[in-house]
Amino acid sequence: FKYLYSAKNILNDNLRGLKCSHFDIVTTVIDLNCKNQIVLDVAPTTIKLCPKKEENLYTLLIGGDGSGYRYDKEFFIKLIDFVKNISKKENIKWLITTSRRTDKKYEELLEKNLKDISKEFIAYHKNPKAVVREFLCKAKKVFVTEESASMISEAIASGKKVYTLKPKQVIYDKKYTPVLEKFEKEKRI
């Protein structure tokens, strides 16, 4: 569109193989070493600061393989145990959603094992429903898989306490790792 209509354009994402020069401005949380880039503290999101809720609810946002992260069955079994233990120990229910990146077999495993302790469980591959904003606003705490800067940014923007979850198999990306380190240093996660 930039060239066709002589219009200004902004990319708010990773370049994914495109050149910086195709855009007037590139915004991302990862430093791409572009002259026309603005490095943001957190990715822009439609999530607004949510009011604190008194209900005993935690949110769990589950992604999947990407950004050098590989989630296996062992990770999901440990996640199930963790969620069950926290639920029992802290007397809470969960708002859980998977995403397009969540492997279907792990999504089914999670649903089978966590449905009973969830107030709501959204299995993306069965019912792709946009619930992240609602779940973040209702939760006291947020747990999110670590591969997604956008999910983490949405969680941070909610103003809730955010915890990231990572698998054993991670090939750390030299551009993504500093973002997570920055979030940790600033006590955002």
Side-chain angles (χ1 to χ4, degrees):
F1 288 116
K2 176 180 177 164
Y3 302 110
L4 187 61
Y5 296 105
S6 298
K8 301 278 185 192
N9 66 2
I10 297 173
L11 174 69
N12 179 38
D13 201 351
N14 196 330
L15 289 170
R16 302 187 197 286
L18 299 172
K19 295 179 181 176
C20 292
S21 60
H22 292 166
F23 305 95
D24 292 294
I25 298 173
V26 175
T27 64
T28 183
V29 293
I30 299 167
D31 188 355
L32 303 173
N33 294 319
C34 297
K35 292 179 184 177
N36 57 336
Q37 179 187 14
I38 299 171
V39 180
L40 305 169
D41 286 338
V42 294
T45 176
T46 60
I47 305 295
K48 296 177 181 165
L49 190 64
C50 299
K52 295 205 185 264
K53 294 287 180 187
E54 296 307 313
E55 220 172 340
N56 280 343
L57 294 172
Y58 289 174
T59 289
L60 176 59
L61 307 177
I62 304 166
D65 292 351
S67 300
Y69 290 74
R70 298 290 171 258
Y71 295 92
D72 59 12
K73 187 173 183 177
E74 180 185 355
F75 170 83
F76 287 103
I77 289 170
K78 287 181 178 181
L79 178 61
I80 289 165
D81 288 342
F82 170 77
V83 169
K84 285 182 173 182
N85 288 335
I86 292 292
S87 186
K88 186 177 180 179
K89 182 180 173 186
E90 299 186 23
N91 191 33
I92 59 104
K93 288 278 190 180
W94 291 83
L95 301 167
I96 301 173
T97 186
T98 59
S99 77
R100 63 180 168 75
R101 285 187 321 278
T102 310
D103 188 302
K104 286 181 187 178
K105 68 181 175 241
Y106 298 138
E107 182 179 78
E108 290 169 2
L109 179 70
L110 290 164
E111 185 175 24
K112 178 183 171 191
N113 287 281
L114 298 178
K115 189 102 172 148
D116 291 343
I117 61 169
S118 302
K119 182 169 183 178
E120 222 177 317
F121 188 105
I122 302 298
Y124 177 85
H125 295 288
K126 288 183 182 177
N127 181 20
K129 211 170 147 184
V131 294
V132 172
R133 183 180 193 162
E134 173 191 343
F135 282 11
L136 291 174
C137 284
K138 289 180 177 179
K140 280 185 165 183
K141 294 180 183 177
V142 180
F143 296 81
V144 57
T145 53
E146 198 175 84
E147 82 290 341
S148 174
S150 61
M151 285 195 313
I152 294 170
S153 292
E154 289 175 320
I156 290 168
S158 74
K160 306 299 173 70
K161 198 160 182 94
V162 178
Y163 301 89
T164 59
L165 308 166
K166 67 180 172 186
K168 282 184 181 177
Q169 292 180 290
V170 179
I171 300 169
Y172 290 101
D173 181 289
K174 65 182 179 182
K175 292 180 180 176
Y176 187 56
T177 302
V179 172
L180 295 173
E181 289 170 349
K182 178 180 73 167
F183 288 162
E184 282 184 56
K185 183 180 176 186
E186 295 172 350
K187 301 195 183 317
R188 294 175 186 252
I189 59 174

